[in-house]
Amino acid sequence: MEGNKIRNMEEFASVSGISRPTLSKYFNDPTSVRDSTRKRIEAAVEQYDYRPNLYAMNQNRRLTKNIGIVVPYLADPFFAEIARTLENHVLRTGYRPVLLGSHGRPELEIENLENLRLIKPAGVLLAPLGRVSEREQIEAFCKEVPTVLFDANIDGVGHAFVGSNNGQSIGLIVDYLCRTGEPPAFFEMETPTNPNAYKRRTAYLAAMERLDHKPRLIQAPGEGWEFEEIGFREGSRLLRDKTLPTDTILCSNDRLAIGFLSAAYEAGLRVGLGPGCALRVAGHDDHPFSRYTCPTLTTVSQDYEAIAKKSAEALLELIEAGSPGDSREETLFEGRLIMRGSA
């Protein structure tokens, strides 16, 4: 052994002086051992920074029927919708979903995973925060608990990833906007939280280059999850200062677009197609509110049903296998253009 790094429970039993069966009993149920024994084990765990290999332990114990579902923000109807769809798929397989939201906070994201660890889940479906996520801690969790990432990818983390093909979907809506009016500027946050935003920026630049148009990026100051507020604030400033480079705005996500639409309304500008319209505004995601904005929002839909179904299937395959495979599978679903009144 190098230093205090313990590779397995046998080594941990040797250095701690506690029998292997007692350790196994503790890690399956900490309340099943005497208080004095539990304190000894906990002290040794802290000293050697040891966590058991749950894959190995699962060979000797019955898995719970719990499946954790962790999303960045349950108050966001986008994540509420996809979580609801995931719950239905999990329930149909005979497992029990345990739904948790991270409120956009990386420390709470890790706390959610640690709380799930305590109930010994069969597996976890995780939509990570992305840029601000604690990568090392999430990676360590995934080594012990079968985990499938969805919506936002962290390269190399988890046993599978399921999401949307941002390159295809952004290319689709850029093509449409260029065919039907002025080429769009891309409106995004200066410091995006979700890694999908970076992929969409890259896809926009590639699509504009392919169509031989000059790309124009508009980056709004701000970070976090208050997208509507950021879209409204920066949209209001751009409209007040009359600095928009084009009359067509493609927003990185629908929530930014909803804020921008509100800014246009406050400025007395009509958004949409046809005579009398000063702006066209489009988004991405087909957020549940996008069909009720005024005007209704042109966007690209993500296939909630397909993403949820594939995520659940990938996790169940992993659970049934009993150990992680050698390769990490990534599945991307194409978006669909939703033409409404705003563009």
Side-chain angles (χ1 to χ4, degrees):
M1 291 182 290
E2 296 181 5
N4 289 334
K5 188 64 179 176
I6 305 301
R7 292 172 296 182
N8 53 50
M9 199 176 295
E10 283 71 23
E11 289 185 358
F12 185 58
S14 176
V15 298
S16 66
I18 302 167
S19 71
R20 174 69 168 76
T22 300
L23 290 173
S24 182
K25 187 177 179 183
Y26 165 82
F27 285 118
N28 277 300
D29 181 6
T31 64
S32 65
V33 299
R34 288 180 297 182
D35 288 346
S36 58
T37 303
R38 187 173 71 252
K39 289 176 182 178
R40 283 181 60 203
I41 295 172
E42 289 170 352
V45 165
E46 184 174 353
Q47 178 182 354
Y48 295 105
D49 190 26
Y50 173 71
R51 283 185 179 141
N53 183 337
L54 291 190
Y55 278 118
M57 290 177 63
N58 285 343
Q59 304 304 313
N60 301 313
R61 70 171 174 88
R62 182 180 177 82
L63 286 170
T64 70
K65 300 295 284 184
N66 298 316
I67 286 182
I69 302 172
V70 182
V71 299
Y73 216 86
L74 275 172
D76 185 337
F78 171 82
F79 287 111
E81 178 70 14
I82 198 167
R84 181 191 63 80
T85 308
L86 277 170
E87 282 184 310
N88 288 337
H89 280 288
V90 168
L91 287 167
R92 281 199 288 270
T93 64
Y95 285 83
R96 294 184 295 269
V98 179
L99 179 60
L100 299 169
S102 300
H103 295 277
R105 293 162 44 201
E107 69 276 12
L108 185 54
E109 182 172 64
I110 297 303
E111 185 178 324
N112 284 334
L113 294 179
E114 292 299 328
N115 287 335
L116 285 170
R117 191 199 302 274
L118 293 176
I119 64 172
K120 301 172 187 171
V124 170
L125 295 163
L126 169 65
L129 296 175
R131 181 181 61 85
V132 298
S133 289
E134 299 287 350
R135 178 191 173 98
E136 289 186 4
Q137 294 186 61
I138 293 176
E139 195 167 13
F141 177 87
C142 294
K143 288 178 180 178
E144 299 180 4
V145 181
T147 305
V148 170
L149 272 59
F150 68 96
D151 181 62
N153 195 11
I154 301 178
D155 290 337
V157 175
H159 306 98
F161 169 71
V162 183
S164 292
N165 186 337
N166 289 291
Q168 176 269 340
S169 59
I170 288 293
L172 185 67
I173 198 163
V174 169
D175 283 346
Y176 166 74
L177 293 172
C178 289
R179 286 198 316 270
T180 55
E182 288 189 19
F186 190 70
F187 183 79
E188 62 175 351
M189 289 168 58
E190 191 173 60
T191 310
T193 300
N194 191 300
N196 287 324
Y198 293 100
K199 291 181 172 63
R200 292 172 190 177
R201 177 199 299 166
T202 300
Y204 164 79
L205 294 173
M208 293 292 279
E209 181 179 356
R210 173 173 51 81
L211 296 170
D212 201 24
H213 293 302
K214 181 180 179 180
R216 300 180 185 274
L217 296 176
I218 302 173
Q219 297 182 317
E223 58 182 318
W225 292 84
E226 302 301 325
F227 300 113
E228 293 87 356
E229 178 185 343
I230 293 169
F232 175 77
R233 183 178 65 240
E234 185 64 9
S236 297
R237 186 191 68 78
L238 291 166
L239 295 172
R240 181 183 64 248
D241 296 346
K242 298 182 179 179
T243 55
L244 285 178
T246 172
D247 70 3
T248 303
I249 306 299
L250 171 59
C251 297
S252 180
N253 62 61
D254 285 351
R255 291 182 60 190
L256 282 173
I258 290 170
F260 202 100
L261 286 175
S262 182
Y265 177 82
E266 289 288 318
L269 298 175
R270 185 176 177 187
V271 176
L273 296 166
C277 292
L279 286 171
R280 294 191 302 158
V281 177
H284 190 290
D285 292 336
D286 196 21
H287 189 282
F289 290 170
S290 64
R291 68 200 68 179
Y292 303 114
T293 55
C294 185
T296 53
L297 184 63
T298 292
T299 184
V300 180
S301 70
Q302 297 194 52
D303 195 336
Y304 297 98
E305 182 67 26
I307 291 172
K309 185 173 185 291
K310 178 61 180 177
S311 298
E313 288 175 349
L315 183 60
L316 290 174
E317 289 174 5
L318 187 62
I319 292 168
E320 290 170 4
S323 63
D326 295 330
S327 61
R328 182 179 187 267
E329 180 184 6
E330 293 192 9
T331 305
L332 301 178
F333 290 95
E334 294 191 347
R336 181 168 57 92
L337 181 65
I338 306 293
M339 294 177 286
R340 297 195 181 106
S342 70

